[in-house]
Amino acid sequence: MPKLTYFGHAAFLLEDGNTKIVIDPFLTGNPVASVNPNQVQADYVLLTHGHGDHLGDGLTIAKRNNATIVAPYELAMYCQSQGANVHPMHIGGGHTFPFGRVKLTIAHHGSAAEIDGKLVYMGNPCGYLVTVGGKTVYHAGDTGLFLDMQLIGEMNEIDVALLPIGDNFTMGIDDAVKAVEFLKPKLAVPMQTFEVIDADPNEFARKVEEKGFKARVLDFGESMEF
Ligand code: NI
């Protein structure tokens, strides 16, 4: 049974058997990070985009663990130039890894990394459909609401949908509730945020349940099997 652990913000650890998949590990400088980045073990690091609160500690975690970074091509090539092992992909493409299948979805957002005080283009941002142990997790990345979520929901049986609710930079709560109606996941989990985007995850959960879907608010550091 796969296990999901919430590190805070959009950072998760997905485990199935001995395989450890880390998504968007922004830990250094994250006031709600629930783990020390030096203690994170990973076989794969999935990155949705180049913003510092998603790329985060991805490079150092990948290099220390000799893990493979999976990312949209432009971001993957940047990570490779920094000495990481990479598996570049792109939107709409799927690949079967030893642990299971990964498919990239669209995300309406930006993807630049701030390097030496300058914004460096990192291609398009993405979301991820990750299927491990027969279960499918959708990590939306940072995105606004989009109607193609209906298609994602129609073509995939999503067990857990990880959705931003922060507003300002991404979907706010009401748009994220609409995303749940489009995606029809068995469980919706809000990605909680901080500072200008500290939306109330319990309000999201209540509104999702009013629509007849299940939601669960994960505390920072909390794990669940699914
Ligand atoms: Ni972002």
Side-chain angles (χ1 to χ4, degrees):
M1 194 178 281
K3 187 167 99 170
L4 192 68
T5 301
Y6 189 34
F7 286 158
H9 201 50
F12 290 85
L13 169 65
L14 179 58
E15 293 172 276
D16 184 48
N18 293 323
T19 305
K20 293 177 165 52
I21 303 157
V22 173
I23 308 175
D24 281 358
F26 165 53
L27 304 169
T28 301
N30 176 356
V32 299
S34 64
V35 66
N36 181 330
N38 297 321
Q39 292 169 349
V40 174
Q41 295 183 323
D43 301 295
Y44 293 87
V45 177
L46 274 51
L47 301 173
T48 62
H49 62 293
H51 290 165
D53 57 336
H54 292 257
L55 172 57
D57 298 286
L59 273 169
T60 51
I61 289 171
K63 286 198 273 188
R64 183 170 44 74
N65 287 281
N66 201 26
T68 299
I69 289 180
V70 178
Y73 177 80
E74 291 81 358
L75 178 55
M77 288 301 101
Y78 167 72
C79 293
Q80 187 177 58
S81 77
Q82 300 302 303
N85 303 326
V86 300
H87 182 106
M89 296 183 68
H90 233 308
I91 290 159
H95 181 76
T96 302
F97 290 87
F99 62 83
R101 188 151 176 90
V102 174
K103 187 175 180 184
L104 270 63
T105 68
I106 60 170
H108 290 311
H109 196 62
S111 183
E114 196 176 322
I115 298 168
D116 298 332
K118 289 190 176 143
L119 288 176
V120 179
Y121 170 71
M122 292 289 167
N124 284 313
C126 74
Y128 283 99
L129 287 159
V130 185
T131 303
V132 286
K135 301 289 178 75
T136 297
V137 176
Y138 170 55
H139 186 300
D142 274 356
T143 185
L145 178 65
F146 54 90
L147 187 59
D148 285 18
M149 285 179 177
Q150 268 185 348
L151 192 60
I152 295 171
E154 189 184 305
M155 294 180 69
N156 299 277
E157 262 192 39
I158 298 169
D159 292 281
V160 183
L162 310 173
L163 300 170
I165 62 166
D167 219 352
N168 196 76
F169 294 114
T170 66
M171 296 187 282
I173 287 174
D174 290 338
D175 282 9
V177 171
K178 180 55 78 175
V180 173
E181 293 184 78
F182 286 162
L183 293 161
K184 302 185 179 1
K186 291 188 183 133
L187 185 70
V189 173
M191 295 197 262
Q192 303 165 41
T193 52
F194 60 92
E195 293 173 348
V196 293
I197 43 176
D198 59 345
D200 178 4
N202 294 307
E203 180 188 338
F204 168 79
R206 193 183 68 245
K207 288 183 171 177
V208 164
E209 282 165 8
E210 281 170 9
K211 297 288 182 187
F213 294 92
K214 281 190 182 164
R216 177 164 172 180
V217 177
L218 288 179
D219 287 333
F220 306 127
E222 189 176 359
S223 296
M224 68 168 192
E225 292 189 325
F226 61 99

